[in-house]
């Protein structure tokens, strides 16, 4: 009884209690109960994992920009481990651009559609381009059987990276930070990288042409469809709800729409290190904007903002030949639009 009173008092005193709590199977039910009390989305740990939230694995010395003070490790990527990797991919070649696609482990259809379309070419506009898929583990499936299927798929394509975080909507920040960590530790020789969702149309030719412009920054650069002065949603029935305890300000710093943004490849390591000083939450693109702000940086408007788009308003071959990104409704759209765009003859 005394223990329970102590715990309840501690919870009311500080929302950050869970950041130093050792989350494992034994405490999972208690953790779920407290999240219901706060009605605030939090991270979910795979039931087969035991992650100590107040520790991180050994890393290189942080850059001078990392301020002293509390450090937050729930989404710190080096708490997670790769069970399937493409460790030698960037050792064997020096990519100009790496396309990192977060995708659900069971969404083979989306991966195959990308392999048939914008993820197919290994050389674009004379530059080496890599396409890799980042996966976590589903909590709803038999983990061993799931890993076996993923291993078999990877034998065919050699393009899957599997980490042991729970792959869920609320863990998108973890997934994004694991992508950043992989780029920083396994592919730091690339010039640029892009985080792009699996439901996207990507005109890789236009992207590479843009990135090769001599005036484009080579460091501290991030661009895409940018959001400015976005209001924080306080309605707790929304999936984008964020409590004042997690983020106390009324608006977010500038951030790129998470569907697809491009960055110079010096940024991933800086984002990973600075993330240790920022309270994580589930809106991953906003979190990237928060990390940039803490670094003293801001996303840059693309040379032609009309090339980065949200949902398309109907397919038009000429229009799709000029853009860089569109959000699609299905994998069938991706295959059909790409096939039509690549047929012989002028698109306009």
């Amino acid at each position: 009884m005394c223990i329970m009173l102590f715990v309840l008092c501690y919870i009311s005193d500080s929302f950050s209690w869970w950041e130093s709590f050792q989350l494992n199977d034994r405490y999972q039910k208690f953790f779920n109960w407290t999240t219901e009390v706060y009605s605030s989305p939090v991270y979910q740990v795979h039931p087969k994992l035991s992650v100590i939230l107040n520790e991180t694995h050994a890393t290189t010395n942080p850059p001078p920009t990392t301020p002293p003070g509390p450090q937050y490790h729930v989404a710190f990527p080096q708490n997670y481990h790769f069970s399937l990797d493409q460790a030698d991919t960037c050792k064997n070649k020096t990519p100009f651009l790496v396309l990192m696609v977060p995708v659900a482990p069971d969404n083979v259809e989306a991966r195959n559609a990308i392999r048939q379309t914008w993820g197919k070419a290994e050389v674009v506009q004379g530059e080496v381009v890599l396409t890799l898929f980042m996966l976590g583990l589903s909590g709803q499936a038999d983990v061993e059987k799931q890993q076996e299927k993923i291993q078999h798929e990877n034998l065919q394509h050699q393009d899957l990276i599997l980490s042991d975080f729970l792959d869920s909507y609320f863990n998108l920040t973890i997934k994004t930070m694991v992508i950043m960590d992989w780029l920083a530790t396994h592919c730091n020789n690339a010039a640029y990288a892009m985080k792009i969702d699996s439901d996207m149309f990507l005109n890789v030719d236009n992207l590479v042409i843009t990135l090769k412009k001599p005036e484009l920054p080579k460091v501290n650069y991030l661009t895409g469809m940018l959001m400015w002065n976005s209001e924080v949603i306080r309605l707790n029935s929304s999936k984008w709800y964020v409590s004042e305890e997690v983020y106390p300000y009324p608006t977010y710093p500038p951030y790129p729409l998470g569907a697809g943004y491009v960055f110079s490849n010096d940024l991933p390591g800086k984002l990973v290190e600075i993330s240790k000083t920022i309270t994580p939450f589930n809106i991953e693109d906003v979190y990237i904007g928060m990390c940039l702000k803490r670094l003293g940086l801001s996303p840059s408007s693309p040379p032609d903002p009309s090339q980065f788009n949200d949902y398309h308003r109907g397919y038009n071959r000429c229009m799709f030949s000029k853009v860089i990104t569109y959000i699609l409704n299905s994998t069938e759209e991706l295959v059909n639009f790409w096939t039509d765009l690549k047929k012989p003859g002028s698109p306009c």
Side-chain angles (χ1 to χ4, degrees):
M1 202 56 189
C2 292
I3 293 172
M4 284 303 297
L5 285 171
F6 172 77
V7 170
L8 289 172
C9 290
Y10 189 53
I11 291 169
S12 63
D13 184 60
S14 172
F15 179 74
S16 64
W17 67 274
W18 54 271
E19 290 168 26
S20 60
F21 199 84
Q22 294 188 12
L23 178 62
N24 54 33
D25 291 343
R26 183 177 174 185
Y27 299 112
Q28 187 68 48
K29 289 183 181 178
F30 180 72
F31 187 81
N32 289 340
W33 176 79
T34 56
T35 62
E36 289 172 11
V37 170
Y38 283 105
S39 299
S40 180
V42 294
Y43 293 102
Q44 305 164 326
V45 174
H46 196 278
K48 292 209 171 188
L49 301 181
S50 177
V51 176
I52 300 175
L53 302 185
N54 63 346
E55 293 183 4
T56 58
H57 294 248
T59 63
T60 55
N61 292 327
T65 50
T66 303
Q71 297 196 341
Y72 303 95
H73 305 311
V74 184
F76 189 67
Q78 291 174 13
N79 280 332
Y80 306 93
H81 308 90
F82 299 116
S83 53
L84 177 63
D85 203 353
Q86 304 300 326
D88 295 329
T89 300
C90 295
K91 292 179 183 176
N92 299 331
K93 56 187 81 174
T94 302
F96 174 74
L97 171 66
V98 185
L99 304 173
M100 299 294 291
V101 188
V103 59
D106 58 350
N107 199 351
V108 183
E109 183 183 11
R111 294 194 287 273
N112 284 337
I114 290 168
R115 289 171 182 138
Q116 294 174 51
T117 56
W118 52 259
K120 185 177 182 179
E122 296 182 2
V123 177
V124 178
Q125 299 290 323
E127 303 290 350
V128 174
V129 176
L130 296 178
T131 303
L132 298 168
F133 300 95
M134 177 64 72
L135 291 66
L137 293 173
S138 168
Q140 306 301 317
D142 180 282
V143 174
E144 286 76 18
K145 187 176 289 185
Q146 186 179 76
Q147 285 181 309
E148 196 176 304
K149 287 181 179 178
I150 291 169
Q151 292 275 4
H152 180 74
E153 182 183 346
N154 189 61
L155 283 174
Q156 264 188 297
H157 303 285
Q158 299 294 309
D159 58 5
L160 302 182
I161 302 171
L162 177 63
S163 182
D164 56 5
F165 59 86
L166 177 63
D167 204 311
S168 69
Y169 174 78
F170 286 136
N171 283 358
L172 286 177
T173 299
I174 293 176
K175 200 169 191 175
T176 300
M177 296 312 295
V178 169
I179 283 174
M180 296 298 175
D181 185 58
W182 190 90
L183 287 167
T185 56
H186 291 68
C187 202
N188 59 8
N189 59 338
Y192 294 95
M194 182 178 196
K195 181 263 178 185
I196 178 164
D197 288 350
S198 61
D199 60 350
M200 296 292 286
F201 174 89
L202 174 64
N203 193 318
V204 194
D205 284 274
N206 289 344
L207 175 57
V208 173
I209 289 169
T210 297
L211 293 177
K212 288 179 72 174
K213 291 181 177 180
E215 68 272 19
L216 206 78
K218 304 293 188 292
V219 297
N220 294 331
Y221 180 72
L222 185 146
T223 194
M225 187 174 180
L226 305 184
M227 311 300 288
W228 304 91
N229 299 312
S230 296
E231 290 189 8
V232 181
I233 295 176
R234 302 299 188 194
L235 185 67
N236 61 13
S237 60
S238 170
K239 71 175 182 177
W240 296 291
Y241 164 72
V242 173
S243 70
E244 289 184 357
E245 290 91 345
V246 173
Y247 187 83
Y249 309 106
T251 59
Y252 291 126
Y255 68 91
L257 193 69
Y261 50 88
V262 191
F263 44 93
S264 55
N265 205 37
D266 64 300
L267 272 182
K270 298 173 185 177
L271 293 170
V272 168
E273 286 295 341
I274 206 69
S275 73
K276 291 190 291 186
T277 70
I278 303 171
T279 310
F281 61 104
N282 63 295
I283 306 179
E284 58 90 9
D285 44 11
V286 171
Y287 190 69
I288 291 295
M290 292 168 64
C291 290
L292 287 173
K293 183 179 179 181
R294 184 67 63 88
L295 287 166
L297 304 173
S298 182
S300 304
S301 294
D304 181 357
S306 70
Q307 289 188 301
F308 289 88
N309 300 274
D310 51 16
Y311 287 94
H312 69 92
R313 291 161 292 282
Y315 174 74
N316 176 285
R317 189 177 181 220
C318 181
M319 178 178 65
F320 269 66
S321 71
K322 297 175 181 178
V323 303
I324 291 176
T325 61
Y326 262 126
I327 303 174
L328 301 178
N329 297 306
S330 66
T331 55
E332 289 81 11
E333 278 191 349
L334 173 56
V335 174
N336 293 338
F337 295 172
W338 186 268
T339 302
D340 184 71
L341 183 66
K342 294 299 178 180
K343 68 186 182 185
S346 172
C348 297

